[in-house]
Amino acid sequence: MARIKPGKNASKRDVITQKAAALFKNKGFSSASMRELAEAVGVEAPSLYNHIGSKSELLQGICFKVANAFTSYLDSAENTPAANAARIEQIIRFHIRMMLDHFDEVYVANHEWKHLKEPYLSNFLIQRRGYEKRLITLLVNGIAAKEFKQTNPYVAVLTILSAVRGLEFWQQHKKNISSQVLEDDMVNHLLKGITK
Amino acid sequence: MARIKPGKNASKRDVITQKAAALFKNKGFSSASMRELAEAVGVEAPSLYNHIGSKSELLQGICFKVANAFTSYLDSAENTPAANAARIEQIIRFHIRMMLDHFDEVYVANHEWKHLKEPYLSNFLIQRRGYEKRLITLLVNGIAAKEFKQTNPYVAVLTILSAVRGLEFWQQHKKNISSQVLEDDMVNHLLKGITK
DNA sequence: TTACAAACCTAATGCTTATTAGTTTTTGTA
DNA sequence: TACAAAAACTAATAAGCATTAGGTTTGTAA
């Protein structure tokens, strides 16, 4: 039988993870079977276990890769000398680009984390909660510095994160809007609103 | 064994559907088993089939009840004499209240529709798409009437719908913000933005 | 050419699933 | 009090699941 060709920068494990992300996105973690994943990879199901430990392990890999990417970016944004408003804008743009460039994985991290097993589930939620809190702090600082209107920072962060997440719908039935227009329009809406 | 007490306005089928919504929300449709549902209802699994046709049928019931509620409200909003901006605001508020008052069912309709079977899956997506298009039309009209800034109406609707959907996070770890403050802040943010 | 390891295969295990069949219990009514 | 219908139960079915065991093929390097 034909072997899989792992490219120079993608081990077979990476290929499997990538196919798993697409599959988990399309069918949901629970409904996706190892048989289907194997078929997508071009192999029989038991052969997958030469490269991975378990189905759960795949989900963990995907979820934490995404979570770590966001956390790392926030680290760097916090350490950049800039106004809070500029930082928030950078972060929104990073979220949008992540949604567009790593759609499958981000989608899975957003939708399927529920199926993580302990202690990964708890760790994921703690990391997520910490991320939100740091964003809220940025907003609180921005309000204190009069860069933002007086508003509830929790609601504002919620609104921003959720709006960006919603790009999954755009991705699903791709419109003929360029990524750049989309990014700019959404940033604009979220930062300035739409009412004249 | 003890019978279930269906209240005057809730047939046993309704009780099952309600428990199913909570279960599907917590574990996902695929991971939720009829055994678990039966336990939540207080009955053995096969007994459920005296009241419902199948597991799929439960999901269909939930998804279309929610979809129809939104469609109906939009019907009435379109037929009310009001500015487009006022209509949009009303619709946003309706979405927020639906999220807060019928959380389980809205959550399931938002997250688990993927597991609908044909032809229900197609019908659901068509209905959803139609709803979005009508919202976009409202926005286009509002822009033409100079009630809104010149912006991409598709992106604006996407942003609004997604932001409102994000209330599921608020619901999950309930904050000490009153529903009214939340509703007003979010409407404000979405309609006017946060930047000074 | 031979040897070794990595990666594949088939077959099997044991568990869980939704649902059906057939029977018994409960309930409401005459 | 008896009867019929509704709703519960137990037992069984058939399919699907992730994963393991054990043996075979393939690629690489001595």
Side-chain angles (χ1 to χ4, degrees):
Chain A
M1 283 293 140
R3 288 286 175 96
I4 307 153
K5 279 254 185 71
K8 261 189 182 152
N9 298 321
S11 75
K12 187 169 298 183
R13 193 193 162 94
D14 291 337
V15 171
I16 293 171
T17 302
Q18 189 181 320
K19 294 284 188 186
L23 186 63
F24 293 170
K25 181 202 73 184
N26 289 329
K27 318 240 324 181
F29 177 75
S30 291
S31 299
S33 76
M34 295 302 277
R35 284 170 167 86
E36 286 172 301
L37 175 56
E39 191 179 6
V41 174
V43 105
E44 293 298 317
S47 303
L48 295 171
Y49 290 85
N50 286 314
H51 306 282
I52 62 161
S54 67
K55 190 186 179 188
S56 275
E57 194 188 278
L58 285 170
L59 183 62
Q60 290 155 26
I62 294 165
C63 289
F64 283 97
K65 183 182 155 192
V66 170
N68 292 338
F70 282 115
T71 302
S72 294
Y73 189 85
L74 183 51
D75 289 343
S76 74
E78 281 176 343
N79 290 328
T80 300
N84 295 289
R87 282 177 180 151
I88 292 274
E89 179 174 340
Q90 279 178 342
I91 291 163
I92 293 175
R93 288 185 186 275
F94 183 73
H95 271 261
I96 293 173
R97 283 195 302 273
M98 280 288 286
M99 279 300 293
L100 300 180
D101 297 343
H102 304 280
F103 179 54
D104 291 349
E105 287 154 308
V106 175
Y107 185 99
V108 168
N110 281 342
H111 282 76
E112 305 295 331
W113 55 264
K114 218 178 271 192
H115 301 101
L116 286 169
K117 289 185 180 164
E118 293 293 357
Y120 300 98
L121 177 58
S122 293
N123 288 343
F124 183 83
L125 290 176
I126 287 167
Q127 188 167 348
R128 199 181 157 76
R129 190 100 190 84
Y131 185 83
E132 286 169 14
K133 284 198 172 169
R134 288 163 71 188
L135 281 191
I136 290 172
T137 300
L138 279 183
L139 230 103
V140 168
N141 292 345
I143 293 171
K146 303 203 192 292
E147 298 173 46
F148 297 118
K149 286 183 188 168
Q150 196 74 31
T151 186
N152 185 298
Y154 182 81
V155 176
V157 166
L158 187 78
T159 302
I160 290 169
L161 288 181
S162 302
V164 170
R165 235 184 93 151
L167 284 177
E168 67 189 45
F169 297 113
W170 180 76
Q171 185 81 5
Q172 262 157 10
H173 36 73
K174 297 208 178 195
K175 304 293 288 184
N176 47 356
I177 307 171
S178 85
S179 306
Q180 197 56 53
V181 169
L182 178 81
E183 187 178 323
D184 291 341
D185 260 30
M186 183 165 274
V187 167
N188 219 46
H189 185 174
L190 288 175
L191 291 181
K192 297 185 193 151
I194 54 169
T195 307
K196 236 175 196 172
Chain B
M1 284 291 143
R3 287 285 177 99
I4 306 153
K5 280 255 185 69
K8 262 189 181 152
N9 298 322
S11 75
K12 188 169 297 182
R13 193 192 161 95
D14 292 337
V15 172
I16 293 171
T17 302
Q18 189 180 319
K19 294 283 187 186
L23 187 64
F24 293 170
K25 181 201 74 184
N26 289 329
K27 319 240 325 182
F29 176 75
S30 291
S31 299
S33 75
M34 296 302 276
R35 282 171 167 87
E36 286 172 301
L37 176 56
E39 191 180 5
V41 173
V43 105
E44 293 297 317
S47 303
L48 295 172
Y49 291 84
N50 286 316
H51 306 282
I52 62 161
S54 67
K55 190 186 178 188
S56 275
E57 192 189 279
L58 285 170
L59 183 62
Q60 289 155 27
I62 294 165
C63 289
F64 283 96
K65 184 182 153 192
V66 171
N68 292 339
F70 283 114
T71 301
S72 294
Y73 189 86
L74 184 51
D75 288 343
S76 75
E78 281 177 344
N79 291 328
T80 301
N84 295 287
R87 282 177 179 152
I88 291 275
E89 178 174 340
Q90 279 178 341
I91 290 163
I92 292 175
R93 289 185 185 276
F94 182 73
H95 271 260
I96 293 174
R97 284 196 302 273
M98 281 288 285
M99 279 299 294
L100 300 179
D101 298 343
H102 304 280
F103 180 54
D104 291 350
E105 286 154 309
V106 176
Y107 185 100
V108 168
N110 281 343
H111 283 76
E112 306 295 330
W113 56 264
K114 218 178 273 194
H115 300 103
L116 287 169
K117 290 182 179 165
E118 294 293 357
Y120 300 98
L121 177 57
S122 293
N123 288 342
F124 183 83
L125 290 176
I126 288 167
Q127 187 167 348
R128 201 182 156 74
R129 190 99 191 88
Y131 185 83
E132 285 169 14
K133 285 200 172 166
R134 287 163 71 188
L135 281 191
I136 290 172
T137 300
L138 279 183
L139 230 103
V140 168
N141 293 344
I143 292 171
K146 303 202 192 291
E147 298 173 46
F148 297 119
K149 287 184 189 167
Q150 196 74 32
T151 185
N152 185 300
Y154 182 80
V155 176
V157 166
L158 187 78
T159 303
I160 290 170
L161 288 181
S162 302
V164 169
R165 235 184 95 150
L167 285 176
E168 68 189 43
F169 297 112
W170 181 76
Q171 186 80 4
Q172 262 158 9
H173 35 71
K174 296 208 180 196
K175 304 294 287 185
N176 47 357
I177 308 170
S178 84
S179 306
Q180 197 55 54
V181 169
L182 179 81
E183 187 179 320
D184 290 342
D185 262 29
M186 183 166 273
V187 167
N188 219 46
H189 185 174
L190 287 175
L191 290 182
K192 297 185 193 150
I194 55 170
T195 307
K196 233 176 196 172

